[in-house]
Amino acid sequence: MYGGPPAGTISPVTSPYAQSGYRVGFDWGPAGAAAVPGALVAVVDVLSFTTSVTVAADRGITVLPYRWRDSTAIQYAEQHAAALAVGRSEAGADGISLSPASIRQARNVERLVLPSPNGSTISQQLADSGSTVLAVSLRNAAAAAEWATAKGRQIVVIAAGERWADGSLRPAVEDLWGAGAFITALQERGVGPVSPEARAAAAAWREVRAELPGLLRECAGGRELIQYGFPQDVAVAAEVGSSASVPVLRAGAFVVD
């Protein structure tokens, strides 16, 4: 029979899923973002939303996350005097899409509405939560960890994942690695305690980091983009530590703090 936690462990909380008592927590998707509250939340969507946000930030482009690419997104972009990213297949050689490579080559764009069913949706969900929201990818994990460490606040890391055809969550290993890279960088700066879930993500990153970018090309998400003709997006996502930008969601837009 269960007799309570061992001496010295975290006390029971109202929700066992909240990872209460830890400075750093980790979970998946919109439901995880709702279940594990944090003063500071790092959203990780390596292929490709948060990678695209860091590329935009490096170029001085403000990104407005939006859930859906539909008629309401067109109106939203018009209301905010912003360009609207289109689907990868619609963008052509010069258009802007969720593809980080397309954002890197964009010209005369200062504000960009970037719809995405995963990272963008979670970011918008968190916009009114009172949490400070960061966009984190493999490109800026170290810089974001440095920024977050200085804030001295509770940190939750949300791996966006993907969706199966039935709408259920597909945990995307590249997001696990991106979350783990950020958590590892926090640990290296002495940030803790780290929840068991967050420790598992960090362990996953340490297992593979010496084998990137190869493993990013070989994982399901990487293979999918390469199969659809976007190998350059996988290459950009694999630029580990290349960005010093830390995009922070303020008033509905990711800006460099």
Side-chain angles (χ1 to χ4, degrees), residues 38-216:
L40 191 158
V41 181
V43 177
V44 183
D45 186 352
V46 170
L47 296 173
S48 298
F49 176 73
T50 56
T51 294
S52 295
V53 174
T54 62
V55 170
D58 290 345
R59 302 203 60 236
I61 299 172
T62 297
V63 170
L64 291 77
Y66 201 74
R67 286 181 172 88
W68 309 113
R69 189 183 300 109
D70 57 13
S71 61
T72 66
I74 296 172
Q75 296 169 7
Y76 188 77
E78 291 174 349
Q79 291 168 3
H80 292 84
L84 174 63
V86 299
R88 278 183 169 92
S89 61
E90 304 167 42
D94 301 317
I96 305 175
S97 70
L98 187 59
S99 159
S102 75
I103 295 172
R104 179 168 282 174
Q105 69 181 15
R107 297 290 180 267
N108 303 316
V109 176
E110 296 182 358
R111 294 166 64 82
L112 177 66
V113 173
L114 192 59
S116 143
N118 301 303
S120 188
T121 295
I122 294 168
S123 299
Q124 198 174 47
Q125 169 187 323
L126 290 165
D128 298 325
S129 69
S131 299
T132 298
V133 180
L134 308 182
V136 174
S137 69
L138 290 170
R139 300 184 72 252
N140 74 331
E146 187 72 25
W147 186 93
T149 299
K151 299 302 178 184
R153 304 167 71 186
Q154 182 189 21
I155 304 164
V156 170
V157 188
I158 299 297
E162 300 285 343
R163 294 284 162 185
W164 290 113
D166 66 359
S168 61
L169 175 72
R170 181 180 75 79
V173 72
E174 67 271 16
D175 295 343
L176 180 67
W177 296 340
F182 176 65
I183 294 163
T184 296
L186 292 172
Q187 290 176 305
E188 290 170 350
R189 289 160 175 77
V191 178
V194 177
S195 75
E197 291 82 0
R199 289 177 61 183
W205 166 245
R206 291 193 292 270
E207 172 68 19
V208 303
R209 60 182 171 184
E211 299 179 62
L212 290 180
L215 287 181
L216 194 60

